Amino acid sequence: MVRDKERAGMIEESRIDRTIVIDGIPLPDMLDEQMVRAVVHGFYDEIRRDDLLGPVFAAEIAADAWPAHLEKMCDFWSATLLRTSRYGGRPLPPHLAIEGLEERHFRRWLTLFRATVQRLCPPEVAQLFINRALRIAHSFRLAIAFHRGENAIHIQPIGEDVL
């Protein structure tokens, strides 16, 4: 009985002491749900005003559907960086359905995203967001090319240095 309580205590303690590591970097304590929400809402405010991306998003997301989309994106980034289990969707299929989505759209998306996280987050948190966004963009670009039957061999990652 004592041994079971000790094990239970050790398990509970290990859960409390467990550090989340993202891309080999311990998650900074200041990154929380409030910061994720600020980034998502701030970023999509920029997207909706953008001359290139605004029309793409307006064609895909009805005005009354934006609150649900923002919540879904908060869930996505919470799951991605905070390791919560709130996001249960599949982010790629909606992007596959957008005709005419090109590298220039991803570059602009990444530029706006980087500006948003650099404005709202401490540098180490901003870099976590940016690194993950760069990888997501590259993965989506490859998947879109494959889906369209295009040769993806020439698709290189978009580096932060060219944004």
Side-chain angles (χ1 to χ4, degrees):
M1 185 78 150
V2 171
R3 187 175 256 163
D4 289 341
K5 287 181 182 178
E6 286 174 2
R7 281 191 195 134
M10 288 172 57
I11 291 169
E12 188 61 34
E13 187 177 305
S14 70
R15 286 183 189 150
I16 293 168
D17 293 339
R18 189 176 70 170
T19 300
I20 297 173
V21 177
I22 305 291
D23 300 333
I25 301 167
L27 190 72
D29 290 335
M30 74 275 295
L31 177 55
D32 59 12
E33 294 289 348
Q34 184 177 353
M35 190 174 291
V36 167
R37 185 172 183 77
V39 165
V40 168
H41 284 258
F43 172 61
Y44 282 102
D45 285 348
E46 295 297 322
I47 288 283
R48 292 172 84 176
R49 288 191 294 263
D50 188 72
D51 291 338
L52 177 62
L53 297 178
V56 174
F57 278 81
E60 298 297 323
I61 303 169
D64 63 347
W66 271 98
H69 181 71
L70 291 172
E71 285 308 308
K72 184 185 286 189
M73 293 300 92
C74 287
D75 290 347
F76 173 81
W77 283 103
S78 175
T80 299
L81 293 181
L82 299 175
R83 300 294 195 239
T84 64
S85 58
R86 293 196 341 239
Y87 183 77
R90 295 175 47 220
L92 182 59
H95 295 84
L96 294 175
I98 301 172
E99 289 187 32
L101 202 53
E102 302 171 350
E103 180 178 338
R104 65 190 178 112
H105 296 102
F106 284 97
R107 283 184 184 275
R108 186 67 184 148
W109 183 90
L110 288 166
T111 298
L112 292 174
F113 191 78
R114 183 180 67 172
T116 301
V117 297
Q118 287 178 337
R119 178 172 44 87
L120 297 174
C121 303
E124 62 271 24
V125 173
Q127 199 59 54
L128 286 173
F129 271 108
I130 293 165
N131 290 346
R132 189 51 53 110
L134 289 166
R135 290 197 347 234
I136 291 167
H138 185 61
S139 174
F140 277 28
R141 289 177 59 227
L142 290 171
I144 288 168
F146 180 75
H147 179 74
R148 293 175 180 167
E150 299 170 357
N151 183 351
I153 197 78
H154 67 282
I155 297 175
Q156 297 296 315
I158 298 170
E160 187 179 358
D161 58 324
V162 298
L163 298 179

